[in-house]
Amino acid sequence: MARLHIKTQEFSPGEVAPGCNYVGREGENEILLPHPSVSRRHCEVWLTEEAVLIRDLDSRNGTFIDGERVTEAQLLDGQILRVGDVELELSGAPVRISVPDLPLPMRKEQTWMPDGTPCCFRHDGVASKYQCTGKCAQTFCSQCVRELRVAGGVPRRFCPECGAHCERLAATVREAKRPSWLNKIRDVLMKPPSRRP
């Protein structure tokens, strides 16, 4: 609820009711300010769902917002309304928030390397090394994954999209093992001799 806090010490704060609130020195005003600089019916304070509006009612000493004389104006949260010599500060004014309609991002389809390894979510044509275990479940290359190294501990890897833990993907294609020197000797010795004619 919008409130007008009267900065002049001799008055108590008044609450602004929805609709029209008259401000004046005497009579049937919703906000009563018994001060000689305030007219009997000084101004109107309109509280709508969207704003707080002020209209001066041909007062003798004028209506001001942040030191500027107004006849009709909108009063924003935190601004000072001066009625004659009495200052009031508005708090709790309605705030209208507009959120623009934004199109949802297109969901990117998973792509694959020729050997069957999934491609990195962020880099097409780069093989993934890690997969997110969280809600996005995307696969990423080594450059994309965030790595946290703790002294003396195992490095932890985190998803760049949702921040969940990432695990290393199992290899889809096995690399050919390099033959050891012992296997080479064994192959030579076990090879049947070639027959010459």
Side-chain angles (χ1 to χ4, degrees):
M1 181 65 80
R3 290 180 67 83
L4 283 169
H5 298 278
I6 303 171
K7 299 188 75 148
T8 308
Q9 292 182 356
E10 58 217 61
F11 302 106
S12 60
E15 198 163 279
V16 183
C20 179
N21 296 267
Y22 287 105
V23 179
R25 182 177 74 230
E26 57 185 46
E28 297 180 6
N29 293 300
E30 283 75 21
I31 301 173
L32 195 61
L33 301 174
H35 192 274
S37 66
V38 178
S39 298
R40 286 189 181 119
R41 187 159 275 190
H42 197 101
C43 65
E44 294 174 343
V45 178
W46 283 86
L47 175 61
T48 68
E49 289 182 8
E50 299 176 356
V52 176
L53 306 171
I54 307 297
R55 182 165 59 184
D56 185 69
L57 298 174
D58 297 323
S59 62
R60 184 171 29 108
N61 293 319
T63 303
F64 300 81
I65 294 178
D66 285 343
E68 193 173 316
R69 190 168 189 154
V70 296
T71 52
E72 287 186 8
Q74 181 177 352
L75 184 63
L76 302 174
D77 207 46
Q79 285 188 314
I80 304 295
L81 170 67
R82 184 161 58 85
V83 178
D85 292 334
V86 180
E87 288 189 341
L88 304 99
E89 183 177 4
L90 180 67
S91 67
V95 177
R96 186 174 187 185
I97 299 172
S98 72
V99 178
D101 291 332
L102 298 174
L104 292 173
M106 294 292 290
R107 182 83 175 148
K108 184 179 174 186
E109 293 295 320
Q110 179 70 60
T111 55
W112 305 88
M113 299 294 289
D115 66 357
T117 305
C119 289
C120 176
F121 179 70
R122 292 183 170 183
H123 301 106
D124 288 334
V126 177
S128 295
K129 299 284 185 194
Y130 300 96
Q131 183 168 19
C132 173
T133 59
K135 60 183 174 185
C136 80
Q138 297 296 339
T139 58
F140 299 96
C141 64
S142 300
Q143 290 179 338
C144 291
V145 173
R146 295 184 181 133
E147 190 171 284
L148 175 66
R149 291 184 176 269
V150 180
V154 178
R156 295 182 182 182
R157 294 173 180 90
F158 299 96
C159 175
E161 292 290 316
C162 69
H165 177 69
C166 282
E167 289 182 353
R168 191 164 187 82
L169 283 173
T172 53
V173 175
R174 296 184 179 218
E175 294 178 13
K177 287 189 175 180
R178 290 176 48 194
S180 68
W181 63 272
L182 189 57
N183 287 340
K184 284 182 184 178
I185 293 173
R186 186 179 54 111
D187 289 344
V188 169
L189 293 174
M190 300 298 283
K191 194 180 218 183
S194 59
R195 296 186 184 199
R196 292 188 185 170

